[in-house]
Amino acid sequence: MPLQAPAVENELPPPKRRANARKVSQTKASMNPDQNANILDAPEAFRASPDADTKDERMDLGALMDVGKELKDKDKDDSVPSLVTNGDSDSPLSDISEMESPIKPKAPPVKATERGGKDKAAPAPPAAKPTTPAKVKKEATKEPQFLDPEADGEEEADEEEIKEALSRPPPVNSDYLPLPWGGRRLGYACLNTYLRFSTPPVFSSRTCRIASILENRHPLRDPNEPPHATKNRPDREQAASTRRGQEFVEQLCLANVRDIPKMLRWNDRYGIKFMRLSSEMFPFASHEEYGYKLAPFASEALAEAGKVAAELGHRLTTHPGQFTQLGSHRKSVIDNALRDLDYHAELLSLLKLPPQQDRDAVMVLHLGGVFGDKAATLDRFRHNYAALPQAVKGRLVLENDDVSWSVHDLLPVCEELNIPLVLDYHHHNIIFDADQIREGTRDIMDLYPRILATWKRKNITPKMHYSEPCPDAITGRQRRKHSPRVATLPPVPEGVDLMIEAKDKEQAVFELMRTFKLPGYHLLNDIVPHVRKDENRAPKTPKKQKTPKKKTKPTKTEDDDEAEEKEDHDETASPEVVIPIPEEELGMGGPDGRVYWPPGQEHWLRPMKRVVAPKKTKGPPGKELDEKGRIITPAMKRKRAAAAAAAAAAEAEAGAEAQAKEVEAEVDAAAILPEGSNVKGKKIQGKKAKMKQEEGKNALQDTPPPPAPKEEASRRRRRSRGKNIKVDYKEEGEEE
C-alpha cells in the first residue's frame, strides 16, 4: 500500500523567491549509517542466523561504529508515532502492533487491606489476587505463539537441567572426513563484515524507523543543502508530502540494492559463490500500512544485481523471519505472513536470473510455533499453503528448528505437499525424535535419500545449513547459541550447497577454507590491524608553523633572500602525489588479498582510535603546578607535608608493633623451651634467657619508663612559668 500523508490543516504560503521555489527536489541524503542518524543497521544482518536473538550472536557494534551511531533526533514531535523497528526480527513485519507478548504482565502488589482487612468473610476481587511469577512463566511456555526458534533464554540453567543435559546419550557422528569436501558451494548470510566497515561502507541491510519516514515527508529547512542531524532537518511546520516520504525510503532501498554487485564480485574473488540476501533490504515493504511494491522503482537495480549473479554463477536465497508463520491460529498473523512471502517472491523474481539459478533462489521458512497441538498446526499449514500463489509455492522450502519441529516432523509434510526440506545439522542435534534417531551426523545420513528427493522433484539444487554451539554450552537452551565460527564440515552429500550460519559471516567460511585447503584458500591473507591499503584517503599535509614576529628587522643580505625564496617554495610545494585506487578495486583487499581477520579481532576492521593526551599547562614563572594544572600554594605544600609525615608516622608505628610482637614471641619461646634451645637461631642459656625475658617485659609495658631527673626538673620549670610562680629547683650536680 502506498504511504498516506497525514491531514495538514494549515499550509504555509509558497516561498517568496521564485528561483528557490523551482528547486523542488531535495539534496540526496547520505546512506552511510555512520553519518546519517536516520539510517540504521538491520540487526538481523549481524546475527548468526535471521532467527537468532541473543546478544552473543551479534557482532559488537559498539567497538566498530563511529559517532554517527550516537546521533539522535533532538527535536522530536509528539504528533509523530513512535513506531520503530523491532530488533528481534529479520522481517519488516517485526513492528506489527497486533502481536501480543506471550507472557502476561505481572499483577500489581496487593495491599494489606486487600488481603484480609477487617471483613475476612468477604472474598478478595480477582484483580487483587497476587500472581506468582512462576505460574505466569509456565503458562507462557505452554503456547509460545511467537517463539523464536533460535532465540536463547537469558535465564541460567538450574542444577537439575545441567545434570539432565550431561546425562544424555553422547552423539554418534559419522567417520566422514571432508578431504576432499563433497559439497558444492559454501555461503554466508546477509552481511560481509570486511565490506561493511570499509570506506565507503558496502552492505545491503540499511533500514530506518517509521518515524523517520513520517518525518521526511516534510521538506528540509534548506532544500539546497544536504540533510543534517541538527542544522538542516525536515521542517514539520511545512506541508507534508506522501511522495517525499516514499522517496526517502526508495533512496535507502536503492542504496542497498546497488551494493549487491560489489558484494558478489568480492565473494567471487575469494571463492565464495553462495549468499543469503537480507530481508530488510526493503524496509517495511510488507507492512500493512506503510508497505509498497518494489516495481518499478527497484526493477532496474535488481535486474543489474541479478545480471552480475548470473555472470558469476552465484546462488542467492532469502530467509523470512520467525514472525512469518503459516501455522498460526490467528488470522492477523496469517495475513502478515502472506504479505511477507509475496514481498520476498517479488524481490527474487525481479533479479531476472537464468532458469536454474531462478529455481535455486528459494525462501527458507520455519513452521513456527506448535500452539499446543502439532496435528492441528500442521492442518492449518496445509490449508494456508494451498492458498498461496504459485510464485510463492515455487520458492518456499521448510527448515527444521531447534525448539519444536524435528526432521521427522517435517519430512512427511514436505513429501506430501512437494516442499523441499532444508536440513539444519545444528538444529537436528538439539531437537530430534529419540525413538527413531540418535544425536549426531551418523543416523541422519540414512534420511539423505528422502531429503534429497524433495529437491529433485522440483529440479532445485539442494542446500543445507550448518553451525556449531558455543564451547561452554551444556543444556539445550544454551546450545542454541551459534558459535562465531565453525571447526569442521558436516558429511554433506555431493552437489549440495552449505550455508554457514555464524556471527563472523564470511570469515567463518574463510576459516574452513584455510583449515581444509578448499579452493581459494591461497588467496586469503591476514589484514594489517587498523590499516587498509584498498581505500582512497586524502593525504595529510603538514601544518605550517607560525613563527613569532620580530620587533626589529635586521638588514637582509642576498644570501638571506635566496634562503627565504627556497623556504617559501618548499612550503608551497604540493604534497606527495598518491595514485587513486579505481572504484572497482575499492574495498577488494588490495593486491595481497588482506581480508582475513583472526577470531575475536573484529576491531581490526576499524582505524585505531586516537588517544589524545592531556595538554601540559605551564604556570606563571616560579610557580609549581600539580597533576591537575593547579598552582601549588604554600598551604597546599603544608598540607601535603603533613599528610606525608602522618603516613611516615603510621608506617613507623606499624613497624614498632611488628617488632614488639616478634620480641613477645621470642620471650614466650624462651620461657617454654628448655635451656640450650634455639629461638630464631639464638641459643638460650641460663642468665641470658632471663635477661631476654626482662627486656621483653619492659618492651611490652604500656606505661613509659620514668623520665631522667634532669628532664623532670625542666618539665616542672615549664609548668611553673605557666602559673607565674617562681620555684627554684636544684638539679642534680649543681652547687647551692
Side-chain angles (χ1 to χ4, degrees):
M1 295 178 62
L3 296 173
Q4 300 177 359
V8 180
E9 296 180 358
N10 300 323
E11 295 187 0
L12 295 180
K16 296 180 180 180
R17 296 181 60 184
R18 294 289 181 182
N20 289 342
R22 295 190 189 99
K23 299 179 181 180
V24 179
S25 60
Q26 300 181 9
T27 307
K28 291 185 178 180
S30 172
M31 292 293 116
N32 187 351
D34 300 342
Q35 301 173 359
N36 190 343
N38 288 329
I39 308 301
L40 307 175
D41 281 278
E44 57 86 18
F46 287 91
R47 301 175 189 155
S49 172
D51 303 321
D53 188 28
T54 59
K55 295 181 179 179
D56 296 338
E57 295 187 54
R58 303 177 188 176
M59 184 170 290
D60 185 9
L61 293 180
L64 295 172
M65 310 306 277
D66 287 336
V67 294
K69 297 298 290 181
E70 300 176 0
L71 296 176
K72 295 182 179 180
D73 298 339
K74 296 183 179 180
D75 50 347
K76 292 187 177 181
D77 190 358
D78 295 337
S79 61
V80 179
S82 59
L83 298 176
V84 296
T85 55
N86 188 342
D88 300 337
S89 172
D90 175 56
S91 170
L93 295 172
S94 56
D95 75 320
I96 293 174
S97 59
E98 295 180 358
M99 294 190 174
E100 301 173 358
S101 174
I103 300 179
K104 299 179 181 179
K106 295 181 180 180
V110 183
K111 298 181 181 179
T113 56
E114 296 177 354
R115 292 175 183 170
K118 297 180 180 179
D119 190 4
K120 297 183 179 181
K129 292 181 179 179
T131 306
T132 305
K135 293 183 179 180
V136 175
K137 202 170 191 178
K138 290 181 180 179
E139 292 176 4
T141 54
K142 286 182 180 179
E143 292 189 7
Q145 297 181 7
F146 305 103
L147 185 61
D148 188 343
E150 298 180 16
D152 173 61
E154 296 182 357
E155 297 181 2
E156 297 182 358
D158 55 13
E159 186 177 355
E160 295 182 0
E161 188 178 2
I162 293 177
K163 287 182 179 180
E164 182 180 357
L166 292 175
S167 62
R168 74 179 192 274
V172 181
N173 294 313
S174 67
D175 54 357
Y176 170 81
L177 293 176
L179 296 171
W181 185 56
R184 185 180 179 187
R185 292 172 288 201
L186 287 176
Y188 64 93
C190 302
L191 183 86
N192 185 304
T193 63
Y194 185 86
L195 289 177
R196 168 59 188 89
F197 299 104
S198 62
T199 304
V202 178
F203 64 112
S204 62
S205 54
R206 300 171 182 87
T207 186
C208 66
R209 300 180 178 92
I210 291 181
S212 299
I213 301 175
L214 299 178
E215 184 182 26
N216 280 273
R217 289 176 174 179
H218 302 273
L220 295 174
R221 295 171 184 172
D222 187 355
N224 301 323
E225 296 295 330
H228 192 272
T230 56
K231 298 179 181 179
N232 194 22
R233 294 176 60 85
D235 189 358
R236 296 193 183 99
E237 295 181 357
Q238 300 188 37
S241 170
T242 305
R243 185 58 204 161
R244 192 181 291 110
Q246 181 65 23
E247 287 178 356
F248 167 77
V249 182
E250 291 178 0
Q251 290 180 13
L252 190 151
C253 297
L254 292 177
N256 286 334
V257 178
R258 287 167 182 159
D259 278 351
I260 295 178
K262 181 80 172 184
M263 298 171 67
L264 295 176
R265 297 188 188 281
W266 193 97
N267 291 342
D268 190 73
R269 174 172 293 192
Y270 297 105
I272 300 176
K273 295 181 176 294
F274 182 22
M275 186 177 69
R276 177 188 297 163
L277 299 178
S278 173
S279 294
E280 299 226 23
M281 190 186 308
F282 294 89
F284 308 107
S286 61
H287 196 275
E288 182 180 8
E289 182 179 357
Y290 301 98
Y292 50 90
K293 290 293 184 180
L294 311 186
F297 80 91
S299 300
E300 184 178 353
L302 285 171
E304 182 63 27
K307 181 180 179 181
V308 176
E311 292 175 357
L312 302 177
H314 287 209
R315 183 177 188 177
L316 302 176
T317 62
T318 60
H319 194 328
Q322 71 271 16
F323 289 97
T324 306
Q325 301 186 19
L326 292 177
S328 175
H329 59 280
R330 298 179 58 191
K331 184 179 183 302
S332 59
V333 177
I334 299 300
D335 294 340
N336 295 332
L338 295 178
R339 287 196 309 272
D340 199 34
L341 294 176
D342 287 338
Y343 150 66
H344 284 85
E346 183 185 12
L347 188 158
L348 295 174
S349 63
L350 289 177
L351 293 172
K352 305 296 182 183
L353 296 169
Q356 185 58 49
Q357 287 179 278
D358 186 55
R359 286 192 294 270
D360 293 344
V362 296
M363 302 183 299
V364 183
L365 188 69
H366 289 289
L367 194 57
V370 177
F371 308 103
D373 190 346
K374 277 191 175 183
T377 302
L378 289 175
D379 290 338
R380 288 192 297 269
F381 175 80
R382 293 186 182 95
H383 174 75
N384 295 323
Y385 178 80
L388 293 175
Q390 187 59 36
V392 176
K393 285 183 177 181
R395 300 185 185 276
L396 188 65
V397 298
L398 289 179
E399 176 190 0
N400 61 305
D401 60 61
D402 55 2
V403 174
S404 304
W405 301 97
S406 66
V407 175
H408 281 91
D409 292 329
L410 298 181
L411 187 54
V413 180
C414 291
E415 293 173 337
E416 174 190 349
L417 302 178
N418 195 19
I419 302 175
L421 175 64
V422 177
L423 170 62
D424 190 305
Y425 291 92
H426 176 60
H427 296 170
H428 162 70
N429 287 333
I430 299 175
I431 296 295
F432 56 92
D433 190 348
D435 296 333
Q436 304 185 54
I437 203 170
R438 295 172 293 181
E439 179 184 348
T441 58
R442 175 62 193 89
D443 291 356
I444 196 65
M445 294 178 66
D446 296 337
L447 296 177
Y448 280 179
R450 294 178 60 186
I451 295 174
L452 297 179
T454 61
W455 296 88
K456 293 179 181 178
R457 291 172 187 170
K458 288 190 171 183
N459 195 19
I460 302 176
T461 304
K463 62 168 292 192
M464 296 180 178
H465 295 174
Y466 183 71
S467 55
E468 294 175 357
C470 295
D472 58 346
I474 299 177
T475 66
R477 187 174 61 221
Q478 294 172 347
R479 289 161 60 208
R480 292 188 208 136
K481 288 184 181 180
H482 297 67
S483 61
R485 304 189 185 187
V486 295
T488 187
L489 285 167
V492 176
E494 186 176 355
V496 174
D497 294 332
L498 186 65
M499 174 65 65
I500 304 299
E501 294 184 326
K503 182 189 72 174
D504 289 350
K505 306 297 181 179
E506 82 288 350
Q507 301 297 321
V509 178
F510 288 165
E511 200 74 40
L512 292 172
M513 293 170 63
R514 282 189 158 194
T515 302
F516 299 105
K517 303 296 185 292
L518 302 180
Y521 81 94
H522 62 284
L523 302 173
L524 309 174
N525 289 300
D526 294 3
I527 66 174
V528 179
H530 314 292
V531 177
R532 296 221 184 184
K533 296 295 184 65
D534 55 0
E535 296 178 353
N536 286 327
R537 295 185 178 272
K540 296 182 179 179
T541 57
K543 294 183 179 180
K544 182 180 178 181
Q545 297 181 354
K546 295 182 179 180
T547 56
K549 294 183 179 180
K550 298 181 180 179
K551 295 182 179 180
T552 58
K553 296 183 179 180
T555 56
K556 295 182 180 180
T557 61
E558 293 182 359
D559 296 339
D560 294 338
D561 293 339
E562 292 179 0
E564 286 184 3
E565 290 179 2
K566 185 177 180 181
E567 185 179 353
D568 294 340
H569 177 72
D570 294 340
E571 290 177 355
T572 58
S574 59
E576 183 180 356
V577 178
V578 179
I579 301 176
I581 300 175
E583 185 177 356
E584 60 273 9
E585 291 296 324
L586 290 176
M588 300 298 289
D592 298 330
R594 295 187 176 275
V595 294
Y596 171 84
W597 48 271
Q601 304 300 325
E602 56 264 25
H603 60 280
W604 286 6
L605 296 170
R606 279 298 207 188
M608 184 177 294
K609 293 184 178 180
R610 294 176 55 190
V611 179
V612 181
K615 295 183 179 180
K616 295 182 179 180
T617 57
K618 295 182 179 180
K623 299 291 184 180
E624 298 181 8
L625 300 179
D626 61 1
E627 60 277 1
K628 296 183 178 180
R630 299 175 299 183
I631 298 176
I632 300 178
T633 61
M636 295 173 63
K637 291 182 179 180
R638 289 193 297 269
K639 188 176 181 180
R640 292 187 178 186
E651 185 178 357
E653 185 179 356
E657 291 180 359
Q659 187 176 4
K661 290 181 180 179
E662 184 178 355
V663 172
E664 182 181 4
E666 292 181 3
V667 170
D668 294 341
I672 297 173
L673 296 176
E675 184 177 351
S677 301
N678 288 330
V679 177
K680 286 192 175 181
K682 297 179 181 179
K683 201 168 185 179
I684 305 299
Q685 296 178 356
K687 295 181 179 180
K688 290 184 179 180
K690 294 180 179 179
M691 292 174 62
K692 201 75 175 178
Q693 294 179 9
E694 294 295 332
E695 291 177 3
K697 290 179 180 179
N698 292 334
L700 295 175
Q701 285 180 354
D702 296 335
T703 57
K710 195 171 185 178
E711 295 177 358
E712 180 66 20
S714 61
R715 185 180 295 109
R716 291 178 180 178
R717 188 179 294 111
R718 287 195 298 270
R719 291 177 182 174
S720 64
R721 289 173 185 171
K723 296 181 180 180
N724 295 324
I725 300 174
K726 187 176 181 181
V727 180
D728 292 331
Y729 290 93
K730 293 182 180 181
E731 297 180 358
E732 186 178 358
E734 293 183 355
E735 296 180 0
E736 295 183 357

